[in-house]
Amino acid sequence: MIALLGLVVGVVAGLFFEPSVPVALQPYLPIAVVAALDATFGAFRALLDDIFDEKVFVVSFVSNVLVAGLIVYLGDQLGVGSQLSTGVVVVLGIRIFSNAAAIRRHLLHA
Amino acid sequence: MPDHPSTPDPVPEPATGPATGSGSGPVRHTEPVHDRRETSRTSARSGREVLLTALRRRPGRGQTVAGVLLALLGFAAAVQVNAVNSDTPYAGTRRDDLVQLLQTLSAAQDRSSRQLAELRATRDSLVASTDQRAAALEEAQAQLEAVQVLAGTVGVAGPGVVITIDDPTDSVSSLELLNAIQELRDAGAEAIEINDTARVVAQTAVGDGTSLSDGRLTVGSETVTAPYVIEAIGNPDTLSAAVAFRGGLTDDVEVVGGTVTVDTPDEVRITSLAPEAETDFVQPST
């Protein structure tokens, strides 16, 4: 319940304050958001599997974001930033899809 | 995505296995899951029940942390969406992409300016050729007018002299008339007409008519009778001097018993036209 509330509060705050993204963070923010989404979907699936653990969620959330940012940073340093970001987004997208499928099976039995 | 719609709730799903295998939330639980899932399946808690329970759970520290994280996620997502949809569409674009965009744009600009230069050159040459055509047309028009004047196919007007030859004894012959024409031409007459009917041009012949001394002469195809009025356009002073000089036209005519009067009006109008000259034999030689 609090988690849902937090999500809503975050979205509202982002829309309300309309802060501009710092230049240094601009390449990383989209990837970080996708990585966090992946962690969130994984957590939701774990919740439905009845194996949810807050600590695991926090660690996976933070590490997902950090690793995604690290990969993008590395890619930028190596000169393959855009391709590597695309790769990260694809991988995370696949994971989000499979997690979403598991969630669907739990909730809809289909 | 490989899916098993017929099986209601397969526990170790091959489709979702790889997804949980590399570091997201449920990973660490993959191993313990099996045992617990085996037991939980017997307890038959469906996904919805779990969800409802989770929603009704009393708030604890972990829940708060998760809420904060999700708030962060929502915040970041909203900010990013805003940034992408903002007025500056290239604000979030990567530097490499920006460089490529810039190169594409400058290449396009080069192409456009080359096209512009070509089109300008085309336009300039077209304008120049139009000018040339206009100049050529003007030149041709001037030549046409000069040739028409020489051929006597248009009426002309200008300063000149009117020479009247009175011939009471009908003794002025073609000789005197021809002499008068030659003198006028020699003095630079540009157009000559006799008795308002006969235009004197290059092809014009002067003859004595059917018989000598009947007061009738032929000029070209026209017959003229005394008094002969010769109108000539040219410098009036030169023309009148050419008529009056000693041993010239005046003396010739007075020898045979006629009189010559020279008048210099401001404008001499020559309205008769020479017949159109037709050439059957002559051709321009190259």
Side-chain angles (χ1 to χ4, degrees):
Chain A
M1 199 69 191
I2 288 186
L4 271 183
L5 272 180
L7 184 63
V8 172
V9 166
V11 170
V12 169
L15 290 178
F16 187 73
F17 291 118
E18 290 190 2
S20 57
V21 188
V23 176
L25 279 183
Q26 268 179 2
Y28 305 112
L29 189 59
I31 300 294
V33 168
V34 175
L37 265 181
D38 172 50
T40 308
F41 271 89
F44 192 51
R45 183 194 170 188
L47 177 72
L48 294 180
D49 282 343
D50 213 2
I51 55 172
F52 180 74
D53 182 346
E54 280 92 355
K55 212 173 74 185
V56 174
F57 171 57
V58 171
V59 170
S60 77
F61 188 98
V62 173
S63 70
N64 249 16
V65 169
L66 287 183
V67 167
L70 192 69
I71 290 176
V72 173
Y73 173 77
L74 207 61
D76 272 344
Q77 299 307 307
L78 294 175
V80 288
S82 52
Q83 293 94 319
L84 210 49
S85 336
T86 311
V88 169
V89 168
V90 167
V91 169
L92 292 178
I94 291 173
R95 288 159 51 91
I96 289 173
F97 259 110
S98 48
N99 279 333
I103 292 166
R104 192 194 63 221
R105 279 193 207 97
H106 275 298
L107 292 183
L108 305 176
H109 299 295
Chain B
M1 144 167 255
D3 216 336
H4 310 287
S6 54
T7 54
D9 195 2
V11 184
E13 281 171 306
T16 56
T20 54
S22 66
S24 79
V27 175
R28 286 218 219 144
H29 292 273
T30 321
E31 287 317 307
V33 163
H34 283 291
D35 300 330
R36 223 204 282 181
R37 296 283 313 252
E38 295 300 330
T39 56
S40 75
R41 207 204 281 180
T42 51
S43 69
R45 280 184 68 180
S46 80
R48 288 175 219 204
E49 284 166 3
V50 172
L51 192 59
L52 284 177
T53 321
L55 281 178
R56 292 200 198 97
R57 200 185 298 168
R58 296 187 59 79
R61 201 172 62 89
Q63 279 240 323
T64 315
V65 174
V68 168
L69 283 184
L70 279 178
L72 260 179
L73 165 62
F75 183 75
V79 167
Q80 178 64 20
V81 168
N82 262 347
V84 170
N85 291 342
S86 65
D87 297 337
T88 52
Y90 299 116
T93 317
R94 312 178 63 81
R95 191 167 46 179
D96 295 350
D97 296 345
L98 281 176
V99 168
Q100 201 174 359
L101 262 175
L102 193 63
Q103 281 170 349
T104 313
L105 283 177
S106 51
Q109 196 200 2
D110 283 353
R111 248 194 334 274
S112 299
S113 47
R114 263 205 308 280
Q115 278 183 353
L116 188 64
E118 282 172 17
L119 290 175
R120 280 213 175 110
T122 311
R123 186 199 62 187
D124 288 350
S125 72
L126 286 176
V127 166
S129 79
T130 308
D131 285 351
Q132 281 175 358
R133 286 169 61 118
L137 197 62
E138 213 166 301
E139 181 84 4
Q141 195 69 40
Q143 278 188 2
L144 175 67
E145 281 170 14
V147 169
Q148 278 177 331
V149 169
L150 287 181
T153 53
V154 288
V156 291
V161 293
V162 177
I163 301 163
T164 311
I165 302 176
D166 276 320
D167 185 18
T169 58
D170 286 344
S171 51
V172 171
S173 68
S174 62
L175 202 64
E176 283 75 28
L177 195 58
L178 200 55
N179 197 10
I181 292 170
Q182 295 285 39
E183 295 286 0
L184 289 173
R185 281 203 174 135
D186 194 30
E190 291 162 9
I192 300 171
E193 182 190 52
I194 296 174
N195 278 13
D196 280 336
T197 53
R199 181 80 171 261
V200 181
V201 293
Q203 266 76 26
T204 309
V206 178
D208 277 322
T210 47
S211 64
L212 272 171
S213 305
D214 61 350
R216 294 153 77 91
L217 299 175
T218 58
V219 176
S221 54
E222 303 289 333
T223 302
V224 294
T225 55
Y228 309 108
V229 179
I230 306 174
E231 291 172 284
I233 292 179
N235 185 334
D237 296 336
T238 320
L239 291 179
S240 46
V243 172
F245 80 101
R246 183 175 295 278
L249 174 66
T250 315
D251 288 354
D252 282 353
V253 171
E254 282 171 358
V255 163
V256 296
T259 58
V260 174
T261 352
V262 178
D263 194 13
T264 57
D266 288 340
E267 190 187 59
V268 177
R269 302 191 69 87
I270 295 180
T271 51
S272 63
L273 302 182
E276 197 88 20
E278 288 181 11
T279 53
D280 287 333
F281 303 102
V282 71
Q283 280 177 350
S285 70
T286 50

